[in-house]
Amino acid sequence: MTKAKNEAAESRIPIPQEAFDWYDEYAHGDIDRRTFLTRIASLSIAGLSVGVIGNALLPDYAKAEQVSFNDPAIKATYEEFASPEGHGTGGGYLVIPSSLSADQKAPAVLVVHENRGLNPYIKDVARRLASQGFIAFAPDALFPLGGYPGNDDDGRAMQRSLDKQKIENDFIAAARWLHSHDQTTNKLGVVGFCFGGYISNFLAATLPDVISAAVPFYGTPAKGELQARVKGPLLLHFGEKDKRVNATWPEYEKVLKDNGAEYSAHVYAQAQHGFHNDSTSRYSPKDAELAWQRTLAFFNSHLR
């Protein structure tokens, strides 16, 4: 079977919900790869092998490139920033619209990765934003360890080895660096996915006077004592099947209401955690596109 036919076959696999739930456990470090694949092997799905099912669930980042790294509409560079309260120095992927001259400014968006470092999918999200006229910066929490290692298993282990508070301080420093960049306006947004969704909520709470718009995709809220500082505006995206994250939403929503914060939330029917990530079978094209168009409209409304 050709690679194209293999991919087409995998995309049609009727994966049961427990497999998605096991992948969520694996992706968040609750079980290791061997345990994940052993559980997958216990399934009997139309005689398909554990390899086919596993490959359908595990990321294939070649699928995630919607905007080429050498697209003439954007210019991408790697930049460093000072992070004295974090790991000393941080680094990330800066993408600027090519149409922006040196003396022009544009609103900026901080793009925050999942729990495994700056992988190709997140870099592509930054390019997508730059192609829409925003200056996008995607920091890599793994910069102090040499950066994203090229595979998610090692990246996940590396991120777990770092001090969480220092990681948070690195993202605070990244937000301040981007906000003060010579080519950015005083309007800064943040969008993040999974761990990045948490960081988006965290920055909305920690830097309410710096963050002009926050978009957490399936992210948990900041710690309770910080939540009271959130003013918004926030645009929150949830997958209906994401029980772990969704369980935190009712209490968080109550806090937002008590704060008088400006927010809107969308739950996408039948969607999984990670439904925006187009590199795995959790990807829901229709929901991802709708959530992305809502995100762009939100940023255009609050940052321009």
Side-chain angles (χ1 to χ4, degrees), residues 131-159:
S131 72
Q132 296 296 315
F134 297 97
I135 293 177
F137 184 56
D140 189 352
L142 305 185
F143 180 83
L145 301 178
Y148 176 72
N151 72 85
D152 282 8
D153 280 345
D154 289 347
R156 189 179 300 110
M158 290 167 66
Q159 188 158 325

Side-chain angles (χ1 to χ4, degrees), residues 61-179:
Y61 288 124
K63 299 176 181 177
E65 187 177 85
Q66 294 188 23
V67 179
S68 173
F69 70 92
N70 59 5
D71 189 308
I74 56 114
K75 180 181 179 182
T77 58
Y78 291 92
E79 305 292 340
E80 296 183 7
F81 57 90
S83 182
E85 302 300 320
H87 288 94
T89 302
Y93 185 66
L94 179 70
V95 194
I96 296 177
S98 297
S99 60
L100 201 67
S101 63
D103 61 346
Q104 289 181 311
K105 295 179 180 288
V109 179
L110 193 74
V111 183
V112 189
H113 59 68
E114 303 135 316
N115 65 336
R116 63 212 71 167
L118 182 57
N119 62 45
Y121 154 65
I122 297 297
K123 291 169 75 173
D124 194 68
V125 170
R127 293 195 295 269
R128 296 173 204 176
L129 283 162
S131 72
Q132 296 296 315
F134 297 97
I135 293 177
F137 184 56
D140 189 352
L142 305 185
F143 180 83
L145 301 178
Y148 176 72
N151 72 85
D152 282 8
D153 280 345
D154 289 347
R156 189 179 300 110
M158 290 167 66
Q159 188 158 325
R160 291 184 74 179
S161 75
L162 291 170
D163 181 271
K164 183 178 180 181
Q165 185 171 353
K166 286 188 175 182
I167 291 177
E168 292 173 347
N169 287 337
D170 285 340
F171 281 102
I172 289 174
R176 293 191 182 281
W177 176 84
L178 184 58
H179 190 242

